[in-house]
Amino acid sequence: MKEKTDFLVIGSGIAGLSFALQAAAHGRVALVTKKDISESATNYAQGGIATVSSEEDTFDAHVQDTLVAGAGVCHEDVVRMVVEEGPQVIRNLIEWGVQFTKSGDAYDLTREGGHSARRILHAEDITGREIERALVQAVLKHDNITIYEDHIAIDLVTEAKVLKKNLEENRCLGAHVLDRKSGEVRTFTARITLLASGGAGKVYLYTCNPDVATGDGVAMAYRAGATIANMEFMQFHPTTLYHPNARSFLISEAVRGEGAILKRRDGTAFMEKYHHLKDLAPRDIVARAIDNEMKTYGDDCVYLDITHRGAEYITSRFPNIYQTCLEYGIDMTKEMIPVVPAAHYLCGGVAVDKNAETDIKHLYAIGEVAFTGLHGGNRLASNSLLEAAVYAGRAYKHAVQVLKDGEFSFPQIPEWDAGTATNSDEMVVVSQNWDEIRRFMWNYVGIVRSDKRLARAMRRIELIQDEIEEYYWNFIVTSDLIELRNIATVAQLIVACAQMRKESRGLNYNIDYPGVDDVNWKCDTHIKKKF
């Protein structure tokens, strides 16, 4: 079945929804999302969105904080652009119905790790859920947006792929998309295709990401020939709730921003010996500190203590976190919260320019799937929602101008061909490979790495890739098989980029190269598929 549209948007977080709302005034939008429209990483974001909005703060201060957190490899021009365009995208979000928490007549601003001032707008401790609610409501009211829930993109369709030849300037024509309920594959043709499919936390055994975060956009873009960058920089959030029944529940950095202290089991605070900002140090430093404390003392977790702030303040400022902890038998007003690091945010991704366009024409990428140069070697807290909103606006303006500049013809795009593929009765192959990838990525390519661990990981992923490719072409595609193929591709890209970088910078810590090498590695890593 073929679907024709002006804009194909893959993903339904703040990036995809913001773009769709703006693009819909200029053409038809098809919005494809893996589960229901609200299931995205945005929906789980607790802390907030960073922007300069008080007289005590400045653009220069926000820029400097971002550059420091980014460990020397942020693109300063991009940082300044995003920071200075922040206030306008906040106004857009408010116009679309987002209700940020106020203190009197002014918006309540909080502070998080790495920030020198209070500049985090939030909606209690469920900021992402509030943003998602407002944007979904606005999208559902728009006649020009058609939503395809329970649909997963299989692969991008490019001009080079259709014509079966290498082109000096390749162009994206749309995507093949699986209807997860019916099993039917739809062929979407689009004048503009936008990847807003989120991150890849599920490539690791422990993550605070939702199940949809399987790196689909990065994997598809790589297979299509787009440049991928800085995949070695996977951010591990320092504080995820440690409980056998908790499914990777995030304890927001805002808790530390409001005074919570990291402690060992015996109540000893330890962050002072790792960084002068102590518990408000950048995330890469806090995550490594916790990892080191756990290994040094043989503990399964460390603890976050905010009991000194008092019950009334805690329950009003963090109602969702308080209630969730209570459901697991932890009263954070009276006892410390057990926490561990978990894979959280991919700072690398599909390389884009300042208009969010990739090096494949008419293919854009925004949000966590994209590498813009903003985050460098380590993302500053609450800059992710800001980046997504800013780039959604920039992508929309550029894409609309591309459409206005002239019509262009499509080559004849074939529908999906399943060939001689049959239904599989051996799904154990998929589940086994899925589990193995996530385990060796955690053990070998986690918070602390070494050349030997990376080499082991690469050997394993190459063998698994061969198995997946054989399986993929022999059997009819399913959602599980598509996701397995994607996490395998993303895992290989992370390992490959980590092997390139012969230093320890930001989120990439290699015990064989413990220092920073500004002479050779104050730059990005790039990787591109060879055809």
Side-chain angles (χ1 to χ4, degrees):
M1 180 183 293
K2 286 190 178 180
E3 307 282 351
K4 190 174 182 180
T5 188
D6 296 306
F7 303 94
L8 171 61
V9 176
I10 300 172
S12 60
I14 185 174
L17 296 177
S18 297
F19 178 89
L21 281 169
Q22 295 171 90
H26 301 272
R28 292 160 300 156
V29 178
L31 195 149
V32 167
T33 186
K34 277 208 290 193
K35 293 189 176 178
D36 67 79
I37 190 172
S38 294
E39 184 64 8
S40 68
T42 297
N43 200 43
Y44 294 87
Q46 296 175 353
I49 181 167
T51 196
V52 175
S53 57
S54 77
E55 293 181 359
E56 289 76 39
D57 198 8
T58 65
F59 288 147
D60 285 342
H62 192 177
V63 167
Q64 186 59 30
D65 291 345
T66 302
L67 295 177
V68 170
V73 287
C74 296
H75 297 193
E76 188 169 353
D77 58 334
V78 170
V79 174
R80 187 162 294 280
M81 177 192 80
V82 171
V83 166
E84 291 181 355
E85 293 182 13
Q88 180 56 54
V89 300
I90 295 298
R91 287 192 286 271
N92 292 345
L93 290 171
I94 292 169
E95 286 177 12
W96 286 326
V98 176
Q99 298 177 16
F100 293 111
T101 297
K102 287 189 171 184
S103 177
D105 293 331
Y107 286 108
D108 183 56
L109 300 176
T110 189
R111 185 182 172 194
E112 295 180 350
H115 288 275
S116 59
R118 286 183 171 267
R119 65 169 66 100
I120 316 297
L121 286 156
H122 65 97
E124 293 183 336
D125 58 348
I126 51 168
T127 308
R129 192 187 304 174
E130 169 58 18
I131 290 173
E132 189 77 8
R133 177 203 64 77
L135 295 184
V136 167
Q137 282 189 4
V139 162
L140 291 175
K141 293 174 184 175
H142 212 297
D143 294 335
N144 239 9
I145 302 174
T146 304
I147 299 162
Y148 295 84
E149 293 183 314
D150 289 303
H151 281 65
I152 178 171
I154 303 170
D155 266 321
L156 297 170
V157 178
T158 65
E159 199 163 18
K161 185 175 182 179
V162 171
L163 299 178
K164 297 182 180 178
K165 64 179 182 181
N166 289 329
L167 298 174
E168 192 170 318
E169 189 173 271
N170 198 6
R171 180 161 57 103
C172 187
L173 308 174
H176 292 302
V177 178
L178 174 70
D179 182 334
R180 296 173 68 237
K181 289 185 175 179
S182 71
E184 179 183 20
V185 176
R186 299 172 184 263
T187 300
F188 283 82
T189 61
R191 300 165 74 195
I192 298 293
T193 300
L194 176 80
L195 294 173
S197 50
K202 295 296 284 187
V203 77
Y204 285 93
L205 185 62
Y206 302 110
T207 179
C208 50
N209 286 184
D211 287 344
V212 294
T214 51
D216 304 330
V218 173
M220 288 191 298
Y222 172 73
R223 289 194 293 267
T227 299
I228 311 298
N230 283 19
M231 293 294 287
E232 70 273 29
F233 294 131
M234 170 63 81
Q235 186 177 75
F236 292 81
H237 197 288
T239 54
T240 302
L241 179 63
Y242 180 74
H243 189 280
N245 298 324
R247 193 174 182 187
S248 301
F249 179 72
L250 187 70
I251 305 298
S252 171
E253 190 153 334
V255 178
R256 280 181 287 130
E258 298 299 340
I261 300 168
L262 284 161
K263 297 180 177 180
R264 294 198 290 267
R265 185 183 297 274
D266 64 4
T268 303
F270 57 83
M271 278 308 301
E272 185 173 9
K273 66 181 181 180
Y274 292 98
H275 197 273
H276 70 279
L277 289 176
K278 297 188 280 190
D279 300 276
L280 286 176
R283 286 179 179 177
D284 59 325
I285 293 166
V286 179
R288 280 200 303 275
I290 293 172
D291 182 68
N292 187 60
E293 291 290 316
M294 289 164 58
K295 287 174 178 173
T296 300
Y297 292 93
D299 291 332
D300 293 328
C301 65
V302 296
Y303 295 84
L304 195 60
D305 186 3
I306 196 172
T307 55
H308 54 281
R309 290 303 306 265
E312 185 177 348
Y313 175 80
I314 293 169
T315 55
S316 62
R317 175 63 182 85
F318 302 109
N320 182 54
I321 296 174
Y322 169 74
Q323 192 58 46
T324 301
C325 286
L326 209 58
E327 289 171 8
Y328 292 109
I330 303 161
D331 186 345
M332 64 186 283
T333 66
K334 299 177 181 177
E335 54 192 319
M336 299 189 294
I337 309 167
V339 293
V340 291
H344 179 55
Y345 190 91
L346 181 63
C347 292
V350 186
V352 298
D353 62 18
K354 287 185 178 180
N355 296 311
E357 191 173 26
T358 71
D359 49 8
I360 298 176
K361 293 298 179 184
H362 300 178
L363 176 65
Y364 296 75
I366 52 176
E368 194 173 349
V369 70
F371 165 76
T372 65
L374 173 67
H375 306 307
N378 179 32
R379 176 177 69 87
L380 181 65
S382 290
N383 267 358
S384 53
L385 295 176
L386 175 68
E387 177 195 45
V390 167
Y391 271 87
R394 297 186 71 86
Y396 139 74
K397 290 173 186 174
H398 188 266
V400 168
Q401 191 58 51
V402 167
L403 297 188
K404 285 180 179 177
D405 284 345
E407 291 292 325
F408 45 86
S409 60
F410 284 89
Q412 185 60 37
I413 300 174
E415 292 201 38
W416 179 260
D417 181 12
T420 58
T422 60
N423 282 308
S424 169
D425 58 358
E426 294 187 39
M427 286 305 291
V428 67
V429 176
V430 175
S431 59
Q432 166 64 27
N433 282 334
W434 177 284
D435 184 64
E436 186 174 351
I437 290 170
R438 298 182 71 209
R439 286 184 183 279
F440 73 63
M441 286 298 290
W442 182 261
N443 291 327
Y444 297 155
V445 201
I447 296 170
V448 177
R449 302 159 182 178
S450 71
D451 281 355
K452 187 177 289 185
R453 293 174 196 170
L454 293 173
R456 286 174 181 157
M458 185 58 84
R459 284 197 297 272
R460 284 305 309 140
I461 197 63
E462 286 173 348
L463 287 172
I464 290 174
Q465 283 280 35
D466 290 341
E467 290 178 17
I468 292 170
E469 283 304 301
E470 179 184 1
Y471 197 90
Y472 182 82
W473 294 113
N474 287 338
F475 299 107
I476 293 171
V477 293
T478 64
S479 181
D480 288 342
L481 182 54
I482 293 166
E483 290 185 330
L484 172 63
R485 184 185 184 216
N486 290 337
I487 70 159
T489 298
V490 170
Q492 191 164 24
L493 292 171
I494 292 172
V495 175
C497 287
Q499 286 180 315
M500 287 185 215
R501 188 173 289 280
K502 305 297 185 183
E503 65 163 357
S504 289
R505 182 188 298 272
L507 301 164
N508 183 74
Y509 190 83
N510 188 321
I511 58 175
D512 293 316
Y513 310 97
V516 174
D517 180 358
D518 279 342
V519 174
N520 298 301
W521 283 106
K522 197 171 184 179
C523 59
D524 304 317
T525 56
H526 294 96
I527 191 164
K528 194 169 184 175
K529 184 177 175 67
K530 295 178 181 178
F531 290 96

